[in-house]
Structures are given as structure tokens and as C-alpha cells.
Amino acid sequence: MIIFELKKIWRSRILWIFLIILFILNVYQINALSNLAKGNSETFNMAREQIYSKVCGKWSNEKTEFIVTNYENAAKIVSSGAYSTEPDQEGTYTGYIFGDFSLFSEFYDEMNYMYNYSETMKATLDNARENVTFFKEKGNKYLAKQNEQIVSLYQNRSIDAYYKTNGAYSLISYDFSSLFILLLCIFCFSSIFSREYETQMYPLLKLTTNGGLKLASSKVLAALISSLIISLIFYVADFLCFYVFFDINCLSNPIYSIMDFKNTPFSCSIGQYLLIMLTYRLIGIITISFIYLLCSCIFSDEILSFCACIAVTAMLVFKGGDFNPVMLFTIRDLHKKYTVCNVFKNPIMSHIILLAIMIIVSVLLCIIVIALSQRRYRENHSLKKLLNNWKERLIL
């Protein structure tokens, strides 16, 4: 039954055309972002690659001295104002001294952040340790636990190598593919139940050997598998395109080597974090897919079901709010900093609570969808009668 339901979903030519078009648009968008990120002349980009090849990898005195010396020399010349604006100047990487200053400033800031990260975090840890002692003396067990958790999460951190993280951060921040996935899920799932209600086939199918609960479960599982297939097609393509277009080679570096993740509670590598983020996004896709199935169960007309799915998506995307499944697509915002909720006087990470709630919501939606689909379709349903009257008037 599951294979049969999967075939019903994937045999649509329009689905394949729609998928290919969105896939091409997604690749084009990533390529456009890559070109925008480069943004400078070919000479400037070649100079960046030349310098990067010299300093990337494990720290060494030679690498740091190379960047610091060139940065300070260029900064002195620029600050004095005694420099030429003519192109192709000798002794420069970019062809002019101000370009060198801009380029070495970029490397200096990034390397300075990574090299001194461990020392920077010591102040946070010292403050947290003092808070543990203070709140224990005051009898505030919750805040004492919270600061103990901070010490546990942020201690023993260091960045042992320098790699550019711009491409990885662009991948983490990329959301267009999630929108494309939702559009495809709407197209696939909005009519799973409503089409058979509209054609009055569902009451007959329920009377067959494989009808009833088995039929409904097969439809739900087929939708679940299809949502995962669509998601993985786009998310894997995202990774491969960013890896190629942005030349990502920092996957082994810790996630906090990205400046925006300075205060993240995660200590995993960037590559591991991408898998964590993928898990959150897949849960979000599954939750919203079940909402689409619920719309298909409620509405006995394909067009109404499709419009309801579009309306729900727009509301989730634009209205926002707490405990919104769309938040799982932008979970990076919660992962960038330490945020907790007081759960029975225990500090629990906000992103864990959000994930747990979405899993519970998904299970409940699955149960509701199967339960609703078990109801025999009624010809005298008020909404169906309204639609029939509307169609008859149009014919007349």
C-alpha cells in the first residue's frame, strides 16, 4: 500500500517539471550568491586566494607574522595618506596599497578572532564561576545551575587552525531551498485525501481489504517519506553547490570559529553542526507536511485544500511567533547564543524545547489526520453541499 501511494504521488509529470524548475532556480540562486560574495575584481580575488593559501591550516608563528606585518605596514601607509592611487603598484598583492590594506584587514580580523578566542572566553567562564558561588550562597539553585551549565558548555574551547568560514556561514544562513520544499509539499500533499473525497472514492476504498486504518496510514507514511525525499534532494544539493561555489574547506573547524556563533552552546565541528541543523529542518518539514495533510482531510475540494495550505504557509512564514515550525528552518538564530527556559527549576535549552514541542505536535497531527480520515465521507456535508450548489449555479 505504501509503495502504491508513493507511486500516486511521484507519477505526476507536473510534479517532476515543478521539481526540476525549482531545483534549477535553487542552484542559480546559490551561484548568484557566490558571485555576489566575491564582488571584487578578478585581481583582488586572486590576491585573496594567494594569501589564503599561505595562511590557512594549523597556526604557526610564520603565518601570523606574515599577516600582522603586512597589515601593519599597509595600515601605516594608508593612515599617512602618502600612497599612490595608480594601479599595478609594485610590491602589492592587489595592485594598489589601499586594496592590500583592505584585504589584510579582512585576514587580520578573522585570524585575531580565532587566535584569541580561548582567551576571550576566559572572562565569560570566570564570571560564570563567580556567579555559581554567589547564587549558591544566596540559595538561588536555578541560577546556580544555569551558570554551572555555562561553565560546562564553554570551558576547554580553542580554535587550532585558521580557515575562512564565509562559505559555511552562507550555507547555514541559506533559506530559499526550504521555501521551495514547502511549495513542492503543498503541491504533493494538499490533494492526498481531498481528491478522493471530491471524486467520492474514499468511502469505497475504505470498504476494501486494505481500506480503513491501513489505507490512511499508508497515505500518511507515503507523505512522510516523500517530504523527506524532497527535503534531502534540496538540502544535499545546497551543500554540494555551496561546497563547490564557495570552496568550503572549514568543516573540521569548531562551529564557534564562525564569528556569529561566538556564544553558541555547541562545541561540535561545522560539519557536525550542518547535520544537526539538517535534523531540525527535517522535523520542521515533517510538522508542516502533517498540517498540509490535515487541510487535505478537512476540505473535500482540491482547490480549497490547496488554498488552505497556501494560507497556512503564509501565516506561518510571515506571522511568526513562538513555537512555530518555521523557526526550525532558521534554528541558527537560537543556536547562536545561550538561551534557556526554566522547566521545573532546571535550565533547558530553548532549541531543545522547541524541537521537543514540534515532535509532539507532529505525532498529534499524525494521529488527528488518521482519525479524521477514518470518518466515512458524507454526501450531505455542509461544505460539500455549498460547493455543489456553487458549481450548479455556474453551470446554469
Side-chain angles (χ1 to χ4, degrees), residues 109-124:
D109 291 341
E110 292 173 354
M111 293 183 74
N112 182 58
Y113 164 75
M114 294 186 192
Y115 189 82
N116 294 307
Y117 179 82
S118 183
E119 290 296 323
T120 303
M121 292 308 298
K122 281 185 178 180
T124 301

Side-chain angles (χ1 to χ4, degrees), residues 1 5 8-9 185-206 210-224 288-306 309 365-378 384:
M1 283 294 289
E5 292 298 333
K8 285 173 65 178
I9 293 173
C185 287
I186 291 173
F187 183 83
C188 291
F189 308 147
S190 63
S191 61
I192 279 186
F193 291 101
S194 59
R195 179 184 291 120
E196 291 174 356
Y197 287 157
E198 188 173 18
T199 57
Q200 300 184 29
M201 284 296 297
Y202 197 71
L204 298 176
L205 290 172
K206 287 180 65 176
N210 294 322
L213 181 62
K214 190 172 182 180
L215 174 64
S217 300
S218 298
K219 288 180 177 294
V220 171
L221 284 174
L224 175 62
I288 296 177
S289 294
F290 281 138
I291 294 175
Y292 296 157
L293 290 178
L294 182 61
C295 291
S296 186
C297 278
I298 293 173
F299 296 96
S300 55
D301 183 274
E302 286 188 65
I303 297 177
L304 279 178
S305 178
F306 181 83
C309 291
L365 284 171
C366 180
I367 294 171
I368 292 171
V369 167
I370 293 175
L372 280 178
S373 66
Q374 290 302 290
R375 296 176 56 189
R376 185 181 297 275
Y377 181 76
R378 297 172 182 174
K384 182 68 178 180

